[in-house]
Amino acid sequence: MRSLLLGVIAGAAVLQRQADLPAYAAEGLLAALAASLLALLLQALSLQRAMREPLLCRPFLRFVFGCLLGFFWAGWQAQMALEPALAKADEGRDFIVTGMIDNLPYRFERGTRFNFAVEEVIDASHRPLPPATVPPRIVLSWYAGRFGEAQAIGDVQPGERWRFKVRMQRPHGNANPHGFDYELWLLEQGVRATGYVRDDGGNRRLSSFVFSAHNVVEYCRSVLRDKIQRILNGKPYAGVIVALVVGDQRAIPQADWQVFNRTGISHLISISGLHITMIAGLAAWLASWLWRHSFFTQRQLPLLLPAQKLAAIAGWLAGLLYVLLAGFGVPAQRTLYMLSVIAVALWCGRLTAVSHVLALAAGIVVLLDPWAVQQPGFWLSFGAVAIILYASVGRTTHHKNEVQDSDEAGILSPGEVRRRKRRGTPLTRRQRIGQGLREALNTQYAVTLGLVPLTMLLFAQVSLISPVANAVAIPLVSLVVTPMALLGSFLPDPLAGPLLLASHEVIRVLAAGLRWLSGFEFSVWTAPMPPWWLFIWTMAGTLWLLAPRGWPTRWLGLASWLPLLTAEPVHPQDGELQVTAFDVGQGMALLLETSGHRLLYDAGPAYAPDADGGNRVIVPYLRARGIGQLDGMVISHSDTDHSGGALTVMQNVRVRWLLSSLPDGHAALDAARQHGHCEAGQSWQWDGVRFDVLHPATASYADDKQKTNARSCVLRVSTRTASLLLAGDIEADQEAELLRRTGEKLRADVLLAPHHGSGTSSTPAFLTAVQPSIAIFQTGYRNRYRHPKPEVYARYAANGIRRLRSDEAGAITLRFTDKMEVEEYRKSHARYWYGR
């Protein structure tokens, strides 16, 4: 059974890496099911022995059948998930939709965002449309103001029925190496379109509540969240308490997440498997104790039903309620399925090998959610349990004290002495406490070391202070904060306030200590994400390290970590250049790498107060590559689509110097170690690659009336074989100025299209002077400026220039070697859900 389930997981994982879905997924699924059933039948009839099949082939065959089953099952599920779709022609079209608020709305500074279950669709002229015109589940944003215009928004609550006028688009997210895949996340949530509420459509509430089990759960979550936020109004860690009670983490600031990640306790700041298991275990223990004591009645209830079976029911029900409270999120579901498998196995008397339970729980998760294998939490949660089992199951544990001969001499009969020797004496309370502490320390030791290779593979970093932080945080959060917060949330106000305030105070003190710990430079070890072969090698060494006592030279397992932890980031050869133009939406951000130096040109836009191109795209990429320092940063000008992520980058990565045209008082200047203005004539050389600043002129800084675009830093980078021109947001006047001042120096093989291809830039004379063979347009999908302008985009084509757009290609990588290589992320990393 284990090999079959592992095959299902492997098959689903392979499917999620495909560029296209199998053409006959349903037929393949039926064939795989038939083959699996035939194999099981043959095994039941013991025909393998008659055929003299080698014993080792049986698990392998089951694994192969499992792979086929998982592959075609995941493909069939994906086909059904992709089927409801918004037509390309309907993007940007106004619809009037009627439906229900389908989840816990997220309220942010500029409005609110929620899932919407569509029931009826009509067009702007009130003509009914087929239901399939709009996907059944969409994400809507209702802004308090767009483009500088104020707009009143309604107080939407889960379970309400509304009618909205909306404008939608197909699922689309930024596509970058090592970045968050928003399109995959939407697919897993069953969301097939996103959009926003229009303010001119007579939006109104039609019903205050539509009864259904799902709506009841979401409404209860909303009531609890509102209660916590009301009692903890203005408290800095109210968002953490909300996350622990109802699983909504969206109110936790990015700065707090950085501290939690650096200290390795982010898994605790949510309704995690640990919390669910703790609540289920507490409920099971309480139910078992009451049942064994027969509820203080005269009846012997354990004679009617064993206490263990009642405890299993109680624990499962408590886990189910807590998972529902978490919104039935995918991470919480994994723990619930594992509890379900254990409860069913205990009830059926089939609680055999724990590895069977683990494999069955993982298989159920993948069958119900084939995309779970793409989430780090899936591998971390099941990996942690597997490591604990490997390091503990089968180890010798003393449950009794041995009786010594000297203790019994002359006191007991020989038969009683032999009996006591055989049975031993119970452990004292001090011994039981000491043994529990040793087991807890051994478990923490095993998990900390066992997950190092997997953590490096998934995040390219490991917290060195995680054991210390978790030793304090786990008992505080799991045994103190979470129970108090849950109890306070359900009790009436006079009793709820002190409990919620006390839980918040514990979190505040804990966070202060974590912030102090995270401030040390050695708190986190970073290195490039390892290739698959290095991960397997390190994992094998880690299993050797955690082998049972007596295993020869276990410490040699640490040697397998050396190539993992000491790896250096890859870099171009001397005289070569690599350029990564990130997909940051409507903004600019490019990383330029020589053999020994790295430069960031612009840092992407600001999306929200706690989200920007720095923390969403650039920093995750640098961390995955093992890059902890930038030799320089150029911020072309102060517009937020170019400078929005600069401060975040400098707070997470050491930046030696900053060159920009930013005005005095800008936050990025205060954070810079060394700053200078971009001025035409500046130049430097790194590793055989030359950098020249062509614009702005020094005198432009004295002109206060000049627009920020006009002062964009223009940088020309040249190798021995090719050149690149980064033009920022210059417009026609600055292009003409560059033509007069630099002339032939503008010539470049690759041009970053000025001002994202706006109608006020990329003049014919400028393109003629530059003569690029490739032009890069860093633009947002369906951006409100409509960049690049059609006439400008056509102008590039008329000049025979190859056009690359980040909204279509994702991140674009250029390698300037003896020849120029171009890589488009959405093609090199093609997945079946892109553009669907």
Side-chain angles (χ1 to χ4, degrees), residues 683-821:
S683 66
W684 66 93
Q685 191 162 333
W686 282 342
D687 312 310
V689 179
R690 183 177 176 83
F691 297 77
D692 293 284
V693 178
L694 306 182
H695 187 78
T698 306
S700 66
Y701 290 99
D703 186 0
D704 295 335
K705 297 181 180 180
Q706 198 171 57
K707 294 194 305 182
T708 56
N709 284 355
R711 204 176 283 131
S712 292
C713 302
V714 177
L715 184 66
R716 185 178 187 271
V717 187
S718 54
T719 69
R720 62 178 180 271
T721 59
S723 56
L724 166 73
L725 184 64
L726 306 176
D729 272 2
I730 62 171
E731 298 180 339
D733 290 343
Q734 291 75 51
E735 291 177 358
E737 181 183 343
L738 281 170
L739 288 172
R740 291 192 302 270
R741 192 170 65 239
T742 60
E744 294 182 356
K745 290 183 180 180
L746 284 176
R747 175 74 179 88
D749 298 278
V750 179
L751 170 65
L752 179 63
H755 202 185
H756 317 281
S758 73
T760 60
S761 61
S762 301
T763 59
F766 181 75
L767 294 182
T768 300
V770 178
Q771 298 181 25
S773 58
I774 294 176
I776 298 175
F777 296 84
Q778 285 192 299
T779 57
Y781 182 70
R782 293 183 49 79
N783 63 87
R784 66 188 182 99
Y785 306 102
R786 303 186 184 277
H787 291 161
K789 294 294 184 181
E791 63 275 15
V792 173
Y793 198 59
R795 187 180 303 154
Y796 279 84
N799 281 270
I801 303 169
R802 180 184 176 186
R803 302 163 297 177
L804 299 175
R805 299 175 51 154
S806 60
D807 58 341
E808 296 177 352
I812 300 165
T813 302
L814 304 172
R815 297 180 181 89
F816 296 83
T817 57
D818 293 335
K819 60 179 181 178
M820 186 166 57
E821 301 176 5

Side-chain angles (χ1 to χ4, degrees), residues 337-392:
Y337 300 147
M338 191 175 297
L339 291 175
S340 303
V341 171
I342 294 174
V344 171
L346 193 150
W347 259 81
C348 297
R350 299 295 299 273
L351 192 59
T352 54
V354 185
S355 59
H356 283 90
V357 176
L358 183 65
L360 184 56
I364 291 174
V365 169
V366 172
L367 288 175
L368 296 178
D369 177 21
W371 301 278
V373 294
Q374 292 290 99
Q375 305 300 330
F378 173 85
W379 301 104
L380 287 174
S381 57
F382 285 106
V385 176
I387 287 293
I388 292 172
L389 294 178
Y390 174 78
S392 60

